[in-house]
């Protein structure tokens, strides 16, 4: 034997050589088959070809050196274990060749069953099937063998050699028609023998060669087809949607065939160890006697509930239940299972930690703690903020009266009901009349934006989770179902058809953005119990609602474990109160600009139009008591907790009427000979203040430096409100925040004036006011060391930091072209939704480190939208911020994720 010079890479693992932690290498299916084998469970013998072999094959276009020999060695071992040889003419071993990536990609890749059958071994298989059955049935055995053979040619032809599947279907239909039968199972052995001939001809016609008779060649070609299926179009699409890296590749499992279709004492089924919908304990599953797995999937025959297996085959049933209990204890989680019974002998074909609904995730985690299988840290790790957010949306109250008429992709969660409209303009029109509408389109484009804003929900017949409709709807927090391809949308005719029914403009539909279900008519909507719990109207100690009890318990643990405080962004007393009920520990951003709207707009106009100091001071003096009253209201609600008030940020011309409208008004009034002096002055001011890029113009701290007295008035209102509260026994803890600072000198100027006013107002009241800044301009992040000298706290404005970091106009880009960026994979999620760790995150990290180096007690928080985004919360925990601040509704999500971040061990995999 030649001496090997290099150690050959191991590409093939016997099931006994792997374990459940080797998913990267063996894929999910292979790793779990290995685990079950090592637990001593009845798994048909087999081996797994690694994902590394697949990666090399995909990179080079050929199987890696050594793979063929390793497969031969493992096949020989398998043959020894089974006492049969692959494709042996007298007593053949058959194998299945199954894909299995690290993350489950249901139905996306290929499987070939019955490999090893050929013109000779089919006869051996029939003999073997007839010989070992309880009820000897040579005709049935013959039928079984030829049916298995025709299935192999069909599956092999289609997946390995790209023979069009319909050709096989047609040939099958022809035989059935000729024999006057409807069901495949009525075909007898002669029919199937004839069908094998027909299939072989189809195979030859399309491939130019005969169906391969050599078993090993069949095996090698099937393995190659599974490798290739990693790059099949649907698999690529699925990966993009689920954000599964394209580099992973799939493993291939070669498993000895066991047959569930050998007679009434055989069958196949699926089972869950608990209810994956509600989390309830019990036995959940389906069974189909005398069938193979693909028959269950094809839905040709009706399955029976798993419990009925007890009556049919008590021994296998008891064994299965015993195995299910063992698997749960072993995996310490809900498992799902596929099994086959071959003539009264149970075989486990697959298990994995099962997917579940958001509600079941919480309920099961709580149950497993009760059962002593996991601790609370682990329970916290097993749920996530996205699931909690899902549970906080209102839901449809569904009873049997409502059947979904179609199902699309749940692209943006929530339950929306409304009249169908087909154009953006019509949506806007009806919404203006106070009607609720659902905008239905084939797919949306940026011109639909107004309609999307006006609608309750969006329904499209095309596009996936990253389509324009989906991305924009998620950004708006609006319910969206996309890609409902059962809908024939006819926009010019203003109607769509689905399942033979026509839905015209004005008809009511209900769409569920979580499940993707579409209902005709109005489905009643009910509020979420979880929100009722957070609101304090549902007592977790008293309710028998298992979900609420589980959420309460896990949230309590998250609060105990988290290091990050959670605050809310709130501008009114009502929002502040809700935030507090939801567990906010302060206000991280009170935007003061809403206080300049409504009837106060006129005062702002006077301020902007002031020609003299006196006029300006009068306008500011009129605004002062109004602002003070606003702050008093918020401070009262947040008694004892910090409240960060941001000085005015948007450009002042935003508070004036739009230029075009004003110009038209003035022209019309002039035409009528009316006195337009005031409007003209306003128009002149608007023209003067007009900016091409207002987001980069006169806003934030720049306003404070340019408009005398504006910031001073706000600082005075904040401090006076705090002093007034102190007098009333309320503890106000104001933190004044200066927006859009880029240089320390800006902050120093504002700060000097603010400190003077604060000192004057505070007197002996004991009120303490902090002064800090937002970090939202890249230059501020890069000069944070200097800025920290003048700031008691930083709050990262990651909305602007993302806008200026990427140069993306935050008001335009998401609707305009992000769908394309997502499609191209430039990013997997909008950086306005989830923080871009590499770029914008780096700015945050630098500023946090350099700020703290300059001032060790610098308080650090974040108040951009990212403060409520699960993944971003983990990042903020990592970089050592003190708190995150987000909208009141997202406070519970941030609390949960901050807890998860604290307990998470590196490298854990929460998928
Ligand atoms: C930010 O920029 O992140 C921020 C919170 O401020 P605004 O969204 O008001 O610009
Ligand atoms: Mg900002």
């Amino acid at each position: 034997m030649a001496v090997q010079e290099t150690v050959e890479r191991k590409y093939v693992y016997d099931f006994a050589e792997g374990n459940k932690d080797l998913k990267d290498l063996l894929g999910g299916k292979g790793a779990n088959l290995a685990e079950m084998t090592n637990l001593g469970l009845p798994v048909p013998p087999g081996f797994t070809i690694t994902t590394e072999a697949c990666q090399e094959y995909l990179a080079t276009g050929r199987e890696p050196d050594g793979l063929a020999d390793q497969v031969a060695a493992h096949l020989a071992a398998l043959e020894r274990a089974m006492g049969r040889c692959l494709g042996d003419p007298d007593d053949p071993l058959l194998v299945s060749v199954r894909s299995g990536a690290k993350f489950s990609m249901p139905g996306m890749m290929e499987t070939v069953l019955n490999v090893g059958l050929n013109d000779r071994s089919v006869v051996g298989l029939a003999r073997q099937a007839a010989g070992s059955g309880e009820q000897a049935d040579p005709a049935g055995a013959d039928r079984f063998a030829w049916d298995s053979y025709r299935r192999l040619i069909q599956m092999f032809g289609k997946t390995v050699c790209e023979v069009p599947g319909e050709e096989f279907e047609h040939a099958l239909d022809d035989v059935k028609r000729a024999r006057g039968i409807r069901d495949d199972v009525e075909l007898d052995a002669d029919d199937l023998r004839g069908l094998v001939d027909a299939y072989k001809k189809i195979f030859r016609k399309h491939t130019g060669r005969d169906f391969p008779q050599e078993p090993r060649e069949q095996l090698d070609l099937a393995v190659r087809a599974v490798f290739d299926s990693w790059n099949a179009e649907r698999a690529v699409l699925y990966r993009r949607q689920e954000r599964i890296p394209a580099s992973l590749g799939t493993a291939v499992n070669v498993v000895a065939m066991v047959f569930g279709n050998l007679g009434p004492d055989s069958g196949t089924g699926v089972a869950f160890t608990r209810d994956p919908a509600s989390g309830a304990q019990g036995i959940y599953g389906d069974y189909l006697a005398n069938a193979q797995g693909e028959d269950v999937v094809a839905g040709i025959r009706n399955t029976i509930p798993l419990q009925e297996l007890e009556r049919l085959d008590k021994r296998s049933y008891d064994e299965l239940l015993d195995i299910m209990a063992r698997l749960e204890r072993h995996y310490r989680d809900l498992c799902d299972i596929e099994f086959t019974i071959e003539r009264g002998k149970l075989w486990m074909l697959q298990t994995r930690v099962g997917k579940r609904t958001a509600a079941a995730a919480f309920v099961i985690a709580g149950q497993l703690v009760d059962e002593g299988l996991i601790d609370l840290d682990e329970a916290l790790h097993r749920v996530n903020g996205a699931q909690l957010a899902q549970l906080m949306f209102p839901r449809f109250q569904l009873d049997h009266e409502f059947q979904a008429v179609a199902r699309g992709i749940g692209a943006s969660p929530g339950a929306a009901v409304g009249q169908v409209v087909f154009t953006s303009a019509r949506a806007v029109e009806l919404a203006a009349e106070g009607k609720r509408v659902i905008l239905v389109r084939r797919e949306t484009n940026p011109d639909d934006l107004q309609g999307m804003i006006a609608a309750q929900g969006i329904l499209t017949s095309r596009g996936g989770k990253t389509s324009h409709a989906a991305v924009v709807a998620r950004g708006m927090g609006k319910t969206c179902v996309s890609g409902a391809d059962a809908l024939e949308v006819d926009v010019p005719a203003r109607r769509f058809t689905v399942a033979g029914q026509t839905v015209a403009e004005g008809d009511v539909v209900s769409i569920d953005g979580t499940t993707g279900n579409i209902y005709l008519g109005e489905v009643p909507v009910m509020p979420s119990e979880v929100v009722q719990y957070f609101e304090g109207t549902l007592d977790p100690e008293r309710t028998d609602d298992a979900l609420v009890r589980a959420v309460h318990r896990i949230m309590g643990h998250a609060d105990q474990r988290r290091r990050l405080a959670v605050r809310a962004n709130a501008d009114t007393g009502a929002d502040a109160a809700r935030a507090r009920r939801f567990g906010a520990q302060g206000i991280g951003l009170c935007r003061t600009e809403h206080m300049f709207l409504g009837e106060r707009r006129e005062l702002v106009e006077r301020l902007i139009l002031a020609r003299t100091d006196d006029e300006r001071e009068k306008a500011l003096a009129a605004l002062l008591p109004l602002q003070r009253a606003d702050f008093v209201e918020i401070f009262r609600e947040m008694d004892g907790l910090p409240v960060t008030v941001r000085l005015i940020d948007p450009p002042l011309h935003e508070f004036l009427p739009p230029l075009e409208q004003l110009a038209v008004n003035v022209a019309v009034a002039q035409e009528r000979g009316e006195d337009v002096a005031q409007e003209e002055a306003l128009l002149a001011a608007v023209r003067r203040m007009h900016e091409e890029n207002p987001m980069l113009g006169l806003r934030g701290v720049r306003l404070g430096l340019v408009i005398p007295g504006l910031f001073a008035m706000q600082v005075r209102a904040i401090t006076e409100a705090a002093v007034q509260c102190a007098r009333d026994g309320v503890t106000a803890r104001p933190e004044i925040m200066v927006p859009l600072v880029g240089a320390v000198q800006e902050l120093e100027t504002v700060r000097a004036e603010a400190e003077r006013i604060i000192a004057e107002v505070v007197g002996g009241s004991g009120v303490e006011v902090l002064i800090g800044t937002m970090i939202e301009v890249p230059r501020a992040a890069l000069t944070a060391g200097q800025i920290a000298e003048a700031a008691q706290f930083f709050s990262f404005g990651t909305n602007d930091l993302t806008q200026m970091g990427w140069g993306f106009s935050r008001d335009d880009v998401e609707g305009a072209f992000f769908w394309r960026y997502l499609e191209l994979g430039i990013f997997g999620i909008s950086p306005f939704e989830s923080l871009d760790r590499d770029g914008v995150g780096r700015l945050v990290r630098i500023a946090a480190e350099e700020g703290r180096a300059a001032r060790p007690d610098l308080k650090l928080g974040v108040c951009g939208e990212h403060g409520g985004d699960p993944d971003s919360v983990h990042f903020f925990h990592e970089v050592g911020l003190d708190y995150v601040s987000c909208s009141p509704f997202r406070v519970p999500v941030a609390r949960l994720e901050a807890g998860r971040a604290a307990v998470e061990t590196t490298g854990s995999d929460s998928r």
Side-chain angles (χ1 to χ4, degrees):
M1 210 169 112
V3 179
Q4 272 189 324
E5 285 179 343
T6 51
V7 181
E8 196 174 68
R9 208 169 188 177
K10 184 169 169 63
Y11 291 114
V12 185
Y13 285 70
D14 189 86
F15 288 165
E17 293 178 292
N19 66 59
K20 70 175 175 16
D21 300 322
L22 292 179
K23 289 199 186 70
D24 283 330
L25 191 65
L26 303 179
K29 184 180 296 210
N32 286 323
L33 281 168
E35 190 76 9
M36 287 200 292
T37 301
N38 290 320
L39 282 174
L41 301 185
V43 175
F47 54 86
T48 304
I49 301 171
T50 64
T51 53
E52 286 175 355
C54 176
Q55 290 157 14
E56 283 195 38
Y57 169 81
L58 293 174
T60 61
R62 59 179 197 85
E63 285 81 357
D65 292 342
L67 177 63
D69 290 346
Q70 291 185 33
V71 168
H74 283 267
L75 183 60
L78 175 60
E79 289 173 335
R80 275 197 302 281
M82 297 295 289
R84 295 178 194 150
C85 288
L86 184 70
D88 183 280
D90 295 322
D91 185 13
L93 165 70
L94 305 185
V95 294
S96 63
V97 179
R98 298 168 187 267
S99 60
K102 176 178 182 186
F103 301 113
S104 132
M105 296 172 53
M108 294 299 139
M109 288 179 297
E110 303 297 1
T111 287
V112 185
L113 303 179
N114 304 336
V115 168
L117 274 179
N118 56 24
D119 294 350
R120 290 180 342 136
S121 63
V122 66
V123 180
L125 181 68
R127 198 174 315 128
Q128 179 193 330
S132 61
E134 277 171 21
Q135 317 98 315
D137 171 13
D142 223 20
R143 183 194 179 285
F144 156 78
W146 285 97
D147 189 41
S148 301
Y149 193 20
R150 72 101 191 158
R151 284 178 197 249
L152 169 66
I153 304 171
Q154 184 168 357
M155 231 182 278
F156 190 95
K158 201 170 136 213
T159 61
V160 180
C161 301
E162 293 173 21
V163 179
E166 321 75 84
E167 297 237 2
F168 295 119
E169 297 296 337
H170 292 158
L172 181 62
D173 288 343
D174 288 346
V175 177
K176 286 202 288 194
R177 206 173 309 113
R179 291 266 283 103
I181 55 177
R182 292 187 54 205
D183 202 332
D184 293 5
V185 292
E186 294 172 59
L187 296 170
D188 65 21
D190 283 339
D191 298 329
L192 290 160
R193 207 176 275 122
L195 205 52
V196 162
D197 277 342
Y199 278 11
K200 283 204 264 184
K201 287 199 185 94
I202 295 171
F203 188 94
R204 185 162 210 350
K205 185 177 96 189
H206 282 278
T207 62
R209 59 164 292 188
D210 288 330
F211 177 73
Q213 294 290 312
E214 174 53 48
R216 177 63 202 260
E217 188 191 359
Q218 290 177 2
L219 174 63
D220 289 342
L221 289 174
V223 169
R224 177 179 273 225
V226 173
F227 284 162
D228 282 332
S229 69
W230 177 255
N231 281 334
E233 201 178 315
R234 61 181 182 210
V236 171
L237 257 167
Y238 183 87
R239 282 203 296 275
R240 200 178 288 153
Q241 251 175 36
E242 298 296 314
R243 291 193 230 133
I244 296 173
S247 57
L248 297 180
T250 181
V252 184
N253 300 292
V254 177
V255 193
M257 285 293 300
V258 289
F259 295 96
N261 53 345
L262 275 176
D265 56 351
S266 303
T268 187
V270 293
F272 294 92
T273 55
R274 315 190 177 215
D275 183 352
S278 69
Q281 277 146 312
I283 298 154
Y284 295 87
D286 300 305
Y287 182 70
L288 190 56
N290 198 6
Q292 276 195 310
E294 46 178 348
D295 301 327
V296 181
V297 180
I300 305 166
R301 287 156 54 202
N302 286 338
T303 56
I304 57 170
L306 185 59
Q307 284 87 336
E308 291 185 26
L309 177 61
E310 185 172 19
R311 193 170 41 78
L312 297 178
D313 181 351
K314 176 142 172 57
R315 204 161 47 105
S316 297
Y317 180 74
D318 288 345
E319 189 184 356
L320 180 67
L321 257 50
D322 185 53
I323 288 175
M324 279 161 68
R326 268 184 80 185
L327 284 174
E328 261 224 353
R329 275 199 310 279
H330 183 73
Y331 281 86
R332 301 179 302 127
D333 207 345
L334 157 87
C335 295
D336 74 27
I337 286 163
E338 286 178 22
F339 66 92
T340 279
I341 297 175
E342 185 185 86
R343 291 193 168 136
K345 162 93 182 107
L346 175 69
W347 292 101
M348 304 300 295
L349 298 191
Q350 176 169 318
T351 191
R352 65 185 166 198
V353 167
K355 292 204 190 312
R356 66 208 70 189
T357 62
F362 277 87
V363 171
I364 292 172
Q367 286 167 354
L368 294 174
V369 173
D370 288 338
E371 291 166 29
L373 286 176
I374 60 173
D375 61 15
L376 272 166
D377 274 1
E378 179 64 23
L380 180 55
H381 174 63
R382 289 197 186 173
V383 294
N384 63 50
Q387 290 166 334
L388 183 63
Q390 233 183 60
L391 295 171
M392 291 176 70
F393 283 103
R395 284 185 291 118
F396 283 133
Q397 193 168 6
L398 288 168
D399 45 42
H400 50 271
E401 205 185 313
F402 292 100
Q403 291 289 339
V405 68
R407 184 171 190 162
I409 294 164
S412 179
V417 180
Q419 293 180 8
V420 167
V421 294
F422 293 89
T423 62
S424 181
R426 190 71 182 137
V428 172
E429 224 172 276
L430 289 186
E433 293 170 17
K435 305 226 168 85
R436 295 179 305 167
V437 299
I438 303 286
L439 178 63
V440 182
R441 307 282 292 163
R442 280 212 185 109
E443 49 204 353
T444 60
N445 64 49
D447 294 338
D448 294 321
L449 213 56
Q450 292 308 322
M452 294 175 77
I453 293 167
Q456 303 292 311
I458 297 122
L459 171 59
T460 70
S461 59
R462 301 229 188 101
K465 272 195 168 154
T466 58
S467 63
H468 175 265
V471 173
V472 178
R474 274 202 299 279
M476 291 178 185
K478 196 144 284 195
T479 301
C480 174
V481 173
S482 64
D485 50 16
L487 267 58
E488 280 292 333
V489 179
D490 186 345
V491 172
R494 299 190 172 204
R495 63 166 183 242
F496 69 81
T497 51
V498 62
Q501 305 186 60
T502 300
V503 179
E505 185 172 283
D507 292 346
V508 172
V509 299
S510 304
I511 59 172
D512 185 333
T514 308
T515 60
N517 280 337
I518 302 155
Y519 305 88
L520 301 185
E522 176 167 352
V523 181
V525 174
M526 62 179 196
S528 137
E529 308 86 335
V530 172
V531 169
Q532 291 173 44
Y533 153 65
F534 286 129
E535 286 284 9
T537 55
L538 210 163
D539 182 350
E541 308 292 346
R542 298 223 170 130
T543 177
D544 53 8
D545 186 320
L547 171 62
V548 168
R549 286 204 315 268
V551 168
H552 173 64
R553 189 167 182 200
I554 294 173
M555 288 302 294
H557 189 65
D559 286 340
Q560 229 177 46
R561 296 293 261 137
R562 68 190 157 91
R563 187 187 53 67
L564 276 174
V566 177
R567 297 192 188 184
N569 295 356
D571 321 339
T572 64
D575 274 357
R578 164 174 263 197
R580 196 164 190 167
R581 288 197 298 278
F582 278 22
Q585 295 156 287
I587 302 289
L589 174 63
C590 170
R591 292 180 167 102
T592 52
E593 38 270 22
H594 91 275
M595 301 170 180
F596 285 67
L597 295 172
E599 52 208 32
R600 303 175 187 182
R601 205 186 265 272
E602 195 198 317
L603 293 173
V604 180
E605 268 184 32
R606 289 211 325 246
L607 172 70
I608 299 171
L609 297 178
R611 273 159 307 179
T612 64
D613 290 352
D614 190 42
E615 277 176 14
R616 184 181 315 108
E617 269 157 30
K618 278 206 180 105
L620 288 169
L623 279 167
L624 176 71
L626 301 172
Q627 288 252 281
R628 190 169 52 220
D630 294 329
F631 297 132
V632 167
E633 193 187 321
I634 293 172
F635 291 154
R636 276 186 202 288
E637 293 294 352
M638 300 309 285
D639 185 5
L641 299 178
V643 176
T644 307
V645 182
R646 181 178 72 186
L647 303 180
I648 189 159
D649 182 25
L652 283 184
H653 63 75
E654 279 197 9
F655 303 96
L656 298 178
L659 180 63
E660 296 77 13
Q661 187 194 326
L662 206 56
V664 171
N665 290 355
V666 169
V668 170
Q670 275 170 341
E671 192 71 16
R672 291 201 195 114
E674 291 167 7
D675 176 13
V676 289
Q678 212 175 336
E679 280 75 8
E680 276 177 341
L682 191 57
L683 179 60
V686 172
R687 285 222 167 95
R688 202 171 52 241
M689 301 180 84
H690 178 78
E691 294 173 308
E692 290 300 334
N693 293 304
M695 282 308 248
L696 300 176
L698 182 57
R699 57 174 285 223
V701 66
R702 305 160 196 175
L703 280 175
L705 299 177
V706 169
I707 314 265
L710 179 59
F711 274 14
M713 179 276 289
Q714 290 198 296
V715 171
R716 187 174 291 279
I718 295 164
T719 318
E720 286 181 359
V723 171
Q724 187 180 323
C725 285
R727 255 189 249 124
D728 299 342
V730 170
T731 307
R733 293 174 53 197
E735 301 176 342
I736 293 178
M737 179 155 79
V738 184
L740 224 74
V741 163
V744 65
Q745 294 83 350
E746 292 171 314
L747 182 61
E748 277 168 347
T749 310
V750 172
R751 183 189 166 92
E753 185 185 32
E755 279 178 337
R756 257 196 324 275
I757 297 165
I758 292 167
E760 179 195 319
V761 177
V762 160
S765 65
V767 165
E768 202 191 330
V769 183
L770 303 187
I771 300 177
T773 182
M774 296 194 70
I775 300 289
E776 51 184 348
V777 174
R779 189 180 190 282
L782 298 174
T783 58
Q786 295 167 17
I787 292 178
E789 304 282 352
Q792 286 167 291
F793 64 89
F794 283 174
S795 177
F796 290 96
T798 46
N799 303 333
D800 271 308
L801 205 53
T802 302
Q803 166 165 263
M804 294 185 227
W806 279 88
F808 281 153
S809 161
R810 57 195 264 199
D811 300 315
D812 302 312
V813 290
E814 290 199 272
F817 61 80
F818 266 22
W819 59 273
R820 182 68 181 139
Y821 271 51
L822 290 161
E823 207 170 75
L824 290 170
I826 293 172
F827 37 64
I829 185 166
S830 159
F832 286 109
E833 210 178 309
S834 193
L835 194 82
D836 148 40
R837 289 176 177 236
D838 298 345
V840 180
R842 177 127 195 268
L843 289 170
V844 172
R845 201 184 279 277
I846 290 170
E849 282 168 11
E850 296 188 2
R852 281 246 168 90
R855 183 192 280 258
D857 65 346
L858 183 72
K859 198 153 47 150
L860 296 174
V862 57
C863 62
E865 281 302 300
H866 306 86
D869 167 67
D871 199 46
S872 312
V873 170
H874 287 241
F875 175 79
F876 298 132
H877 170 88
E878 259 169 62
V879 295
L881 301 198
D882 296 303
Y883 68 87
V884 295
S885 187
C886 54
S887 72
F889 209 70
R890 290 170 101 184
V891 164
V893 171
R895 283 167 51 201
L896 185 78
E897 288 294 352
R900 294 186 69 226
V903 302
E904 221 136 76
T905 46
T906 44
S908 64
D909 180 4
S910 58
R911 216 176 246 267

